[in-house]
Amino acid sequence: DTGVSQDPRHKITKRGQNVTFRCDPISEHNRLYWYRQTLGQGPEFLTYFQNEAQLEKSRLLSDRFSAERPKGSFSTLEIQRTEQGDSAMYLCASSPLGEWDSSYEQYFGPGTRLTVT
Amino acid sequence: GEDVEQSLFLSVREGDSSVINCTYTDSSSTYLYWYKQEPGAGLQLLTYIFSNMDMKQDQRLTVLLNKKDKHLSLRIADTQTGDSAIYFCAETPGDYKLSFGAGTTVTVRA
């Protein structure tokens, strides 16, 4: 399967614990995005990377959240001191870099569902 | 971001056409998108339209764009049970990030 993959698919944690999610983009896709989706809502943008550089962060990304893409391939999203309000589906997407329409095509992974108890 | 607005539900008979409507806010959006999400799954890119076009057709899917009214629609011809899902409209308010509506739940009845 050459699509975007995310790990784990589900995570249950207690309030106050730290969690880390991983995203592997489609091979050779330079751009990688993180979104958060709560029940009954559309995804909300969190942050994005072009290669290893984090180019934009939403104000939704509090200081408890940190994302990295150290080698320009996979990315991790860490949430420290989780709160119940962090419960959501965390979606990763990737897109190629280029001048053509295809650079605007974002392909999503299956998501990581986080439940904070 | 809920600046993109969609009706929440649509029920359609199998074999009929479905039309899902969306209004967006950012007139500078370069592309406008339609994604499909099935239960428990991620989002599947269905189609998208460049902002200088007013129509795009792709097999059973037709996208219409009215830039003056900031209105986007997705028509699905010959709707099938496999088309039951949540459909999201999205705009590009800046750089490459997407801003989604809340989604339209389409139910196909026999």
Side-chain angles (χ1 to χ4, degrees):
Chain A
D1 184 14
T2 57
V4 177
S5 61
Q6 294 187 244
D7 183 70
R9 295 289 307 277
H10 303 274
K11 178 72 177 178
I12 300 173
T13 191
K14 292 185 177 177
R15 190 175 51 191
Q17 298 295 303
N18 299 345
V19 293
T20 300
F21 310 140
R22 177 180 170 125
C23 170
D24 286 88
I26 293 171
S27 178
E28 298 180 358
H29 275 194
N30 304 82
R31 291 198 177 97
L32 186 148
Y33 313 79
W34 286 99
Y35 292 83
R36 181 173 69 187
Q37 184 179 24
T38 53
L39 200 61
Q41 302 299 316
E44 295 176 294
F45 170 78
L46 292 178
T47 187
Y48 97 94
F49 293 83
Q50 183 166 304
N51 298 315
E52 65 275 8
Q54 188 172 18
L55 296 187
E56 187 170 345
K57 291 196 291 187
S58 161
R59 62 182 182 277
L60 293 175
L61 215 64
S62 75
D63 56 7
R64 296 185 297 106
F65 288 70
S66 61
E68 293 182 344
R69 195 182 183 198
K71 297 181 181 178
S73 56
F74 73 91
S75 175
T76 57
L77 177 68
E78 181 184 16
I79 309 174
Q80 296 183 326
R81 304 181 304 281
T82 52
E83 301 173 357
Q84 287 189 319
D86 298 330
S87 295
M89 175 81 89
Y90 290 84
L91 294 163
C92 177
S94 70
S95 64
L97 179 66
E99 298 298 320
W100 308 107
D101 285 355
S102 62
S103 67
Y104 289 86
E105 297 174 1
Q106 290 189 27
Y107 295 93
F108 282 78
T112 294
R113 181 167 297 284
L114 173 66
T115 303
V116 182
T117 62
Chain B
E2 306 308 317
D3 295 334
V4 177
E5 293 189 352
Q6 304 177 235
S7 53
L8 293 182
F9 300 101
L10 175 67
S11 178
V12 62
R13 194 187 305 272
E14 189 175 11
D16 287 352
S17 291
S18 310
V19 179
I20 308 166
N21 295 301
C22 167
T23 55
Y24 62 96
T25 58
D26 194 327
S27 58
S28 66
S29 289
T30 309
Y31 287 88
L32 293 136
Y33 299 79
W34 285 103
Y35 279 85
K36 176 183 180 183
Q37 187 175 38
E38 296 183 75
L43 276 73
Q44 175 192 352
L45 176 61
L46 282 180
T47 187
Y48 57 96
I49 187 167
F50 189 46
S51 57
N52 70 352
M53 298 172 65
D54 51 24
M55 187 181 87
K56 180 179 180 181
Q57 188 150 2
D58 184 0
Q59 299 183 335
R60 293 190 298 123
L61 306 178
T62 303
V63 179
L64 296 178
L65 174 61
N66 179 330
K67 283 193 72 175
K68 174 176 170 291
D69 295 336
K70 296 192 188 111
H71 184 263
L72 183 74
S73 68
L74 174 70
R75 179 177 178 269
I76 305 172
D78 187 26
T79 310
Q80 303 298 308
T81 54
D83 295 324
S84 291
I86 303 175
Y87 291 80
F88 292 95
C89 166
E91 61 179 349
T92 46
D95 289 338
Y96 294 89
K97 66 184 178 188
L98 299 178
S99 179
F100 289 87
T104 299
T105 299
V106 173
T107 303
V108 181
R109 59 187 194 278

